[in-house]
Amino acid sequence: VGERVMILRDFQSRNVMLQQPDDRLRLIDFQGARMGPSAYDVASLLYDPYVPLPQGLRDELAGNYPELLARLNAVIRWWRFIG
């Protein structure tokens, strides 16, 4: 789903960190990043081997992805327009 974007290819819970004291989100282990389908990292999180999700929740989150992607793309287009 979506255009080709920069993907991490190893996007799982163990590679998402919160930095103290302000809980800033940090991504680690991104040396394998490259261009790929925008849904790749979403699928990686939904099927994270370290945090199994119930299938119902996985389906719900996956179902919300197209709308969230459309919103994000709208913001990106706006920033490019005013940029």
Side-chain angles (χ1 to χ4, degrees):
V1 174
E3 63 184 296
R4 292 177 60 84
V5 298
M6 182 60 68
I7 59 172
L8 296 182
R9 293 184 2 127
D10 196 13
F11 202 16
Q12 54 183 285
S13 59
R14 290 188 176 187
N15 294 334
V16 179
M17 303 289 161
L18 292 176
Q19 182 182 19
Q20 299 297 322
D22 57 355
D23 289 337
R24 293 184 66 170
L25 186 65
R26 300 290 185 200
L27 303 176
I28 63 170
D29 194 14
F30 50 85
Q31 68 273 9
R34 62 187 57 170
M35 297 300 287
S38 61
Y40 188 99
D41 286 335
V42 173
S44 294
L45 280 174
L46 292 177
Y47 291 89
D48 186 330
Y50 304 106
V51 182
L53 296 176
Q55 187 62 46
L57 177 58
R58 189 179 289 144
D59 292 344
E60 180 182 343
L61 293 171
N64 291 330
Y65 175 71
E67 179 184 348
L68 295 172
L69 182 62
R71 289 181 183 185
L72 177 61
N73 285 333
V75 170
I76 291 169
R77 283 192 303 275
W78 172 251
W79 280 107
R80 288 179 181 162
F81 175 75
I82 65 171

